[in-house]
Amino acid sequence: MATQIDIRGRDVVTLDTFSAEEIRAITARARALKDAPPGTPLAGHSLAMVFFEPSLRTRASFAIAFGSLGGTVIDLVAGRDLWPLEMREGAVMDDLADEHVRDAARVLSEYADVIAIRALAHQGDWAQARRDTIIVSFQKHAGVPIFNMESVLDHPCQAWGDALTIEEALGEPRGRKIALVWTYHPKAKPLAVPHGVGVMATKLGMDLTVARPPGYDFDPSMLQTMRHAADSSGGSIRFVEDSAEAVENADVVYAASWGSIDLHADRDAERALRDGHRDRRITSALMASTDGARFMHAMPVRRNVEADDAVIDAPGSLVVQQAGNRLHIQRALFRGVLGV
Ligand code: CP
């Protein structure tokens, strides 16, 4: 029988604020809800989504999950629908911003029962970017739960859906080996997905090996979170440079690309470093060196750059199931946070 948990009213900004029992209970509920008629438990409830960046999976899964349960959804695109927002407390707003985040968050809270935000980092000092100012400001000023639809530091709903996918493919995650393998991408991608996967895997007692080139380490504070989680769960985390070494004995090969936090403020230097690793791709030969490991990627995926067509489309690939599970985990999370 699934553990009884209560996550009513909680923000979903990182998996670190949820216990392993809560994570497992929500994945169990998502599995149960897959086979049940959705009904309209969210009738009378509303979700306001605010996107500072594009999205396919997150936007569609959040909107369809909430709407299919009877709720009302509004999708706001920053730069198109919102007034330019001021984030600085106490600012004299005599420049470009027309509205303070303090007011936008409080007003949206009058209309919506949940606010969801996607806001990533752009160029600049990592020490500043990692503060996740936009989502933290909404958390501070909103009067309703905040969902992180991907921020500078984390992508918890992606990771929660990934936990569901791993459970479906492999059973209990504890003791399973997951290789998170850095792959080349023409852009410096956010660290949110690898961070989220790292927190999820270590919380659930998995043995995580991260393969990345020199200069592509995690944020130190997020790494500390993962190490603490591994200590508590009986899992582990280690870092290697060689992708082939990482995938030895792996049950899951999870491909991801991320930029260098050391060079976050220097786009040209970061690109030069990244371009030296163009050959880091998940190939059929790499997957064949495993004992039937399953392939995962959060998507969007650059075919034949991050991973070969043959890997993405192989019978052992979980990428489409993984994306589909975003919907099911979201239904369970909305019901849990709204207590319906
Ligand atoms: N994985 C993911 O978050 O996809 P989108 O960026 O398309 O939402």
Side-chain angles (χ1 to χ4, degrees), residues 54-59 118 150 155 158 298-300 326:
S55 164
L56 188 159
R57 279 143 290 273
T58 307
R59 168 180 270 117
R118 168 169 287 200
E150 189 174 359
H155 198 354
Q158 174 70 53
M299 301 174 100
R326 297 290 308 274

Side-chain angles (χ1 to χ4, degrees), residues 199-256:
V199 175
M200 176 273 290
T202 50
K203 279 244 166 193
L204 296 182
M206 300 184 79
D207 294 316
L208 170 65
T209 302
V210 183
R212 84 290 180 238
Y216 286 86
D217 287 321
F218 287 174
D219 175 77
S221 174
M222 292 298 290
L223 179 56
Q224 192 177 31
T225 296
M226 294 171 212
R227 291 202 193 285
H228 283 151
D231 287 345
S232 302
S233 69
S236 64
I237 178 168
R238 70 178 179 126
F239 288 79
V240 300
E241 286 188 21
D242 183 25
S243 303
E245 180 185 348
V247 306
E248 270 174 32
N249 304 316
D251 298 298
V252 173
V253 174
Y254 197 124

Side-chain angles (χ1 to χ4, degrees), residues 105-117:
R106 290 191 302 175
V107 168
L108 278 179
S109 303
E110 293 288 310
Y111 311 137
D113 302 291
V114 177
I115 299 174
I117 308 289

Side-chain angles (χ1 to χ4, degrees), residues 181-184 253-256 278-288 295-297 299 301-319:
V181 180
W182 188 96
T183 53
Y184 175 74
V253 174
Y254 197 124
R278 282 175 177 270
D279 58 340
R280 285 189 179 244
R281 185 176 85 252
I282 309 296
T283 61
S284 295
L286 187 71
M287 292 303 291
F295 176 70
M296 296 181 73
H297 189 291
M299 301 174 100
V301 59
R302 293 263 185 156
R303 284 174 172 262
N304 305 309
V305 174
E306 293 183 84
D308 289 351
D309 280 338
V311 172
I312 298 167
D313 300 327
S317 169
L318 295 171
V319 295

